[in-house]
Amino acid sequence: CQSVIYAASASKKGGNAKEIDNNGVVLAGEACLKAHVSRYVVLSSTAVTRPKSLGYIFTNVSVGGIMDEKRKGEERLSSIFNSQAGSSPLSSSYTILRPGGLEEPKKNEILGPSALEISQGDVLAGIVSRADLAEVTVELALSNVANLRNTALELYYTDSVQPCEGRFKPLLSNGAIPRLHGDTYEELFRDIQPNIDFYKS
């Protein structure tokens, strides 16, 4: 098996965040390691490492501690892969995709890579359609480039970008956090860095 995508999540309609967004992520990751799956792609959320941000607080309260559990799931996943997976390009790896806010279904269009921005460090966010998110997720799962190994990245439309917290506003323009763009997915993914979790300031 080349890749596995974990897109399950608790919501206001039901589900237990601890079991789905934490334990489920980890159990599926362990299964990927056991089966030598090349890439495990996990959908998480922007601001998941920023508990003081409005996005984290609002979402966490709205869906029973879901952001707390998403972050715990990320940390546990990173730990098991870093301790069990080898450094060979053929060994299993994970990619955590943290989308911005999801647009309503009535706006669910695929705008494609030229409309998207990727950053790393969990400092910038925005909005993205479910359709574009789905396409990017599949492209990540099918890609075999080494720079996607054991890393996390944020995804949103370029024209919607904003800082997760006010203190990160300078990062929109000072170049400390690369803002990645491309007309193709190959170009969009090209400068993603491996082994990134969050920006420490």
Side-chain angles (χ1 to χ4, degrees):
C1 180
Q2 177 179 337
S3 56
V4 168
I5 295 171
Y6 191 96
S9 182
S11 71
K12 292 180 180 179
K13 295 182 179 180
N16 180 289
K18 182 177 181 179
E19 293 305 317
I20 300 173
D21 296 87
N22 181 351
N23 292 341
V25 167
V26 174
L27 289 172
E30 290 174 337
C32 287
L33 284 170
K34 185 176 181 180
H36 305 290
V37 172
S38 297
R39 173 155 295 121
Y40 177 41
V41 180
V42 176
L43 296 190
S44 184
S45 174
T46 52
V48 73
T49 71
R50 307 298 175 186
K52 295 181 180 180
S53 70
L54 291 178
Y56 188 110
I57 294 169
F58 176 79
T59 307
N60 210 42
V61 171
S62 298
V63 191
I66 191 171
M67 295 294 273
D68 294 340
E69 298 303 334
K70 282 183 181 293
R71 182 55 182 160
K72 290 175 184 176
E74 285 191 3
E75 292 175 326
R76 292 173 63 200
L77 179 68
S78 174
S79 178
I80 63 170
F81 269 76
N82 289 332
S83 64
Q84 298 183 46
S87 59
S88 166
L90 298 178
S91 62
S92 298
S93 68
Y94 69 85
T95 302
I96 295 172
L97 177 57
R98 299 167 176 160
L102 300 178
E103 289 185 331
E104 293 302 313
K106 64 182 179 180
K107 300 179 181 178
N108 200 20
E109 300 175 344
I110 296 177
L111 301 184
S114 61
L116 297 167
E117 177 172 302
I118 284 175
S119 60
Q120 293 182 271
D122 202 21
V123 294
L124 303 179
I127 60 172
V128 66
S129 74
R130 288 170 171 81
D132 269 313
L133 172 59
E135 186 163 272
V136 171
T137 303
V138 171
E139 291 290 337
L140 287 170
L142 295 178
S143 176
N144 58 8
V145 296
N147 59 308
L148 298 177
R149 292 182 57 80
N150 299 348
T151 200
L153 53 105
E154 292 76 57
L155 176 75
Y156 42 84
Y157 291 129
T158 304
D159 62 7
S160 72
V161 64
Q162 59 185 342
C164 288
E165 298 179 19
R167 64 192 174 107
F168 295 136
K169 189 173 181 179
L171 298 175
L172 286 168
S173 57
N174 68 9
I177 297 294
R179 297 173 58 185
L180 309 181
H181 306 98
D183 291 329
T184 66
Y185 286 112
E186 182 180 5
E187 292 175 356
L188 186 62
F189 297 164
R190 182 172 53 205
D191 293 322
I192 292 172
Q193 297 300 303
N195 305 307
I196 298 292
D197 183 14
F198 69 99
Y199 177 79
K200 299 177 183 179
S201 60

